[in-house]
């Protein structure tokens, strides 16, 4: 009768498993640090000065802050909002160099 469960494992296979496990354990602190770094890197509101990004209170053609992926709308569509990149109150009709279309 053949036993399907064979507890004998080669030394090479055991070393391979140990190396993989050691690498996984060693990378855990790095994963935690990178997750914290990403959380710190995502500001609640912008950090760049309006002048540095040539912000203007009027659109540039059809490009306006209200259409930008970085824009956080205000309480109503006409109210000033915030921006992930640009500091301060942002007009929904404004525009700057950080403009990124939603589509």
């Amino acid at each position: 009768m053949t036993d399907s469960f064979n507890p004998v494992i080669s030394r090479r296979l055991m070393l391979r498993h140990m190396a993989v496990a050691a690498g996984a354990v060693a990378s855990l602190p790095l994963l935690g640090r990178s997750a914290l770094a990403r959380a710190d890197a995502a500001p609640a509101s912008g950090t760049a000065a309006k002048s540095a990004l040539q912000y203007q209170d009027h659109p540039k053609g059809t490009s306006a802050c209200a259409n930008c992926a970085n824009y956080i709308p205000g309480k109503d569509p006409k109210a000033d909002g915030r921006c992930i990149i640009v500091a301060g109150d942002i007009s929904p009709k404004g525009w700057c160099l950080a403009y990124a279309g939603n589509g």
Side-chain angles (χ1 to χ4, degrees):
M1 184 163 130
T2 307
D3 188 3
S4 62
F5 178 74
N6 186 359
V8 178
I9 186 168
S10 71
R11 185 176 76 172
R12 181 177 298 178
L13 187 58
M14 183 188 306
L15 290 173
R16 187 178 306 152
H17 286 293
M18 288 173 55
V20 169
V25 169
S27 68
L28 285 177
L30 297 176
L31 292 174
R33 284 190 202 122
S34 65
L36 288 174
R38 273 185 263 121
D40 292 341
S45 62
T47 56
K50 288 181 178 181
S51 60
L53 293 171
Q54 299 176 10
Y55 173 81
Q56 58 192 30
D57 286 328
H58 55 278
K60 184 172 186 177
T62 59
S63 301
C65 292
N67 306 338
C68 182
N70 300 317
Y71 182 69
I72 303 166
K75 293 183 180 182
D76 63 69
K78 292 184 180 183
D80 285 353
R82 307 293 277 166
C83 180
I84 294 172
I85 298 173
V86 181
D89 292 335
I90 304 296
S91 169
K93 294 180 180 179
W95 179 89
C96 78
L97 292 175
Y99 175 80
N102 271 331

